[in-house]
Amino acid sequence: MFISISTTGTAERPASDLGFLLHKHPDKVQQFSTSHGEAHVFYPEAGERSCTAVMLLDVDPVALVRKGRGKGRSGSPDFALAQYVNDRPYAASSLLAVALRTVFRTAMKGVCELRPGLAEQPRPLRIALPAVPANGAGEGGGPAMVRRLFEPLGWQVEAEAIPLDEAFPEWGASRYVRVELTAELRLADALQQLYVLLPVLDGSKHYWVAPDEVDKLLAAGEGWLGAHPELGLITRRYLARRWSLTRVAMERLELARLAEADDREAEELDNAVDDGPEGAGTADASEAPGSPEESAKPVGLAVLRREAILAALRETGAARVLDLGCGQGELVAELLKDPAVTEVLGVDVSSRALSAAARKLRLDRMSERQAARVGLVQGALTYTDARLKGYDAAVLSEVIEHLDLPRLPALEYAVFGAARPGAVVVTTPNVEYNVRWETLPAGHVRHADHRFEWDRAEFLAWAGKVAADYGYTVTVRPVGPLDEEVGAPTQLALFRRDDTAPTTTDSHERSAA
């Protein structure tokens, strides 16, 4: 297996700095042992203007067999010599990816102690791979797959299918592709992307995919994998189509995206604060536009929303309640004040928000009896979760608008289909009311993290469809000051499961919304 990494430079930034970045001296040919062969690193050229480093992996087919991983992709050889006669010594695959991690481990971390700051600088890079398997297996393969994987990351891709036999062009193309990638980026990023995407192109691995492969994938994909348009394809193929691991990886990526790795303060999430639009706007308005002076301010919208949610829950008689997207626990605290509520479980994607909720609720100071009524857990609401089953009611307060619309059906199924509480209360902004916020620029949503905001007709249509799909009835009502022209700032839907639903629907509440 063969890979070359080339760069260009100037007198101020010589190309030979590649040696410092890779931690491999250009004047030496170096050899490294791997679990399945020997890796050789050498430099065909190393000058001020251009520099190329090559890694040649000499795969030992006997070592493959002895380690029990040389039986081919199907798991059973087609003939006696199949364990020894295969493409592993020739075509880039997971073997090469593992060798890259072994030989260039420090470079992949973006560390260069001899030249501080050098590893953080993007460089013009050209990476050549003479033969890469690009097996589609029903997912589209060949040069097109190479472009699908690398172009969204900023690479210019030259990918050419290798013929089965150049002497017989009528036989067509093989499943192998000759690849050349060019881009200007950090070397560490390039190596991390290759480490993930080479096994993805191959579609299989030379070793058993254990649960720790999820950690390796997320570590190497940090900063780029979550936003990749082929995220599902990459995760599925990297984890060798082990669906349980794929699910875990996707859930953890969703957690990281929604919580933004907890870098964003929990106070910025609009379902965790009571502030009104400021500048670009936040979701919770503390006062209506044109309100009198401080002493005469009306009740804040966040307070009105919690009161509306509590009233809806009392209608259902719920004793065990889920707060899905609980933020800093304001609603959880209010629910605990109601002696009719025997249990509250707060769920949020942000560990920082949950920590803030624990402090606000003073969980460490609660009596044993009170502490037994409340729990706080981290979870992504777009995945089914056995912990959420069996509750009387669930609340989604200012949550759905934080999801990309294509992900909304997953939340619908996880809550209404899998958890299936007796009732569900959903609140979300009414986008029509945004024109009444004097400090909210025209055309802006109320919070930078909102993926959408619905008008009253859109919310009513969505609520009706969800109710019909999952066996609930629904009423929709306004929350907050009601404007004759644009309605109320918040809209609330109360879903009741069929076995607990009333015999008639409150049409007045529907029309008021």
Side-chain angles (χ1 to χ4, degrees):
M1 297 182 188
F2 183 94
I3 181 173
S4 68
I5 304 172
S6 303
T7 187
T8 57
T10 63
E12 293 75 22
R13 293 185 62 194
S16 55
D17 281 348
L18 183 63
F20 289 100
L21 292 170
L22 291 174
H23 299 268
K24 304 293 179 285
H25 200 290
D27 292 341
K28 300 178 181 178
V29 176
Q30 300 174 69
Q31 182 173 322
F32 304 87
S33 295
T34 73
S35 57
H36 296 91
E38 299 293 325
H40 308 267
V41 177
F42 57 92
Y43 290 76
E45 58 175 347
E48 181 181 279
R49 298 294 178 181
S50 62
C51 183
T52 298
V54 168
M55 186 175 77
L56 175 66
L57 179 61
D58 186 9
V59 177
D60 181 358
V62 175
L64 280 174
V65 175
R66 286 176 177 171
K67 290 182 178 293
R69 299 292 183 243
K71 295 185 178 181
R73 291 173 175 77
S74 65
S76 60
D78 295 324
F79 55 93
L81 295 179
Q83 297 180 94
Y84 301 95
V85 182
N86 54 60
D87 65 351
R88 291 309 200 192
Y90 311 106
S93 66
S94 59
L95 286 166
L96 183 61
V98 171
L100 283 172
R101 184 185 180 95
T102 301
V103 175
F104 299 130
R105 182 180 298 272
T106 305
M108 291 179 72
K109 293 178 181 178
V111 175
C112 186
E113 295 181 356
L114 293 177
R115 294 287 181 88
L118 184 64
E120 298 303 317
Q121 300 173 8
R123 297 194 67 90
L125 297 174
R126 184 179 75 255
I127 295 174
L129 294 153
V132 180
N135 187 16
E139 296 167 311
M145 177 175 282
V146 180
R147 287 189 284 270
R148 286 166 58 195
L149 294 178
F150 285 96
E151 285 181 346
L153 299 173
W155 292 96
Q156 293 182 357
V157 179
E158 293 184 19
E160 177 187 4
I162 299 174
L164 280 171
D165 193 320
E166 294 182 354
F168 299 94
E170 64 273 15
W171 289 1
S174 69
R175 72 185 190 95
Y176 302 98
V177 180
R178 184 178 297 108
V179 176
E180 185 171 294
L181 309 169
T182 56
E184 184 163 337
L185 76 166
R186 295 192 323 144
L187 177 64
D189 294 334
L191 293 173
Q192 296 278 20
Q193 291 165 13
L194 287 167
Y195 174 76
V196 172
L197 296 181
L198 287 176
V200 171
L201 281 169
D202 189 18
S204 65
K205 286 192 171 182
H206 67 281
Y207 58 89
W208 172 250
V209 177
D212 64 349
E213 288 297 301
V214 174
D215 296 325
K216 295 178 185 178
L217 172 63
L218 299 186
E222 184 178 359
W224 61 271
L225 179 58
H228 200 292
E230 299 293 344
L231 170 61
L233 175 74
I234 294 170
T235 305
R236 184 168 60 252
R237 289 173 67 97
Y238 180 88
L239 296 170
R241 296 178 180 82
R242 288 196 61 190
W243 300 111
S244 59
L245 297 184
T246 301
R247 173 194 169 94
V248 170
M250 294 294 287
E251 182 170 355
R252 288 176 59 181
L253 285 164
E254 183 82 355
L255 283 168
R257 185 190 73 80
L258 293 177
E260 293 185 0
D262 279 351
D263 285 339
R264 177 187 303 153
E265 293 291 338
E267 288 79 6
E268 292 184 28
L269 297 178
D270 68 350
N271 55 328
V273 296
D274 291 347
D275 298 326
E278 296 176 6
T282 57
D284 289 329
S286 60
E287 60 174 326
S291 62
E293 295 182 357
E294 185 84 16
S295 60
K297 282 184 179 179
V299 177
L301 177 58
V303 175
L304 294 174
R305 185 169 57 236
R306 283 196 293 274
E307 290 176 350
I309 292 169
L310 293 170
L313 291 173
R314 283 192 292 270
E315 291 178 34
T316 70
R320 302 178 67 240
V321 180
L322 294 167
D323 184 5
L324 305 177
C326 64
Q328 290 191 53
E330 284 89 349
L331 179 62
V332 173
E334 293 299 321
L335 287 166
L336 291 175
K337 294 177 183 178
D338 186 347
V341 176
T342 60
E343 182 182 348
V344 183
L345 181 65
V347 184
D348 204 280
V349 298
S350 170
S351 60
R352 184 169 295 182
L354 292 172
S355 296
R359 290 193 300 270
K360 179 168 289 189
L361 294 168
R362 298 185 177 181
L363 290 183
D364 58 338
R365 302 182 185 179
M366 278 187 178
S367 66
E368 184 176 344
R369 181 178 179 181
Q370 184 76 336
R373 297 174 62 207
V374 61
L376 298 173
V377 298
Q378 188 176 25
L381 303 181
T382 50
Y383 294 86
T384 58
D385 190 335
R387 297 174 298 179
L388 308 186
K389 292 183 178 180
Y391 283 82
D392 301 324
V395 177
L396 289 161
S397 178
E398 310 301 287
V399 170
I400 61 173
E401 63 272 11
H402 290 278
L403 291 178
D404 293 318
L405 278 171
R407 299 292 292 156
L408 193 55
L411 177 142
E412 295 166 7
Y413 176 75
V415 176
F416 293 90
R420 198 161 177 74
V424 182
V425 180
V426 179
T427 71
T428 193
N430 167 24
V431 71
E432 297 171 78
Y433 198 87
N434 288 359
V435 297
R436 296 294 185 256
W437 300 123
E438 295 176 353
T439 56
L440 186 64
H444 282 234
V445 293
R446 298 186 195 178
H447 191 277
D449 192 54
H450 285 189
R451 302 307 201 260
F452 64 90
E453 288 179 356
W454 278 329
D455 61 29
R456 290 168 290 174
E458 289 171 324
F459 183 58
L460 184 60
W462 172 81
K465 183 178 184 305
V466 170
D469 288 347
Y470 293 101
Y472 284 75
T473 60
V474 63
T475 60
V476 177
R477 60 189 67 167
V479 177
L482 188 60
D483 185 288
E484 292 184 0
E485 182 181 356
V486 297
T490 296
Q491 39 196 348
L492 179 149
L494 171 58
F495 297 84
R496 296 173 185 254
R497 207 171 56 211
D498 270 348
D499 55 350
T500 61
T503 57
T504 60
T505 300
D506 191 337
S507 59
H508 172 72
E509 288 182 339
R510 283 176 172 268
S511 61

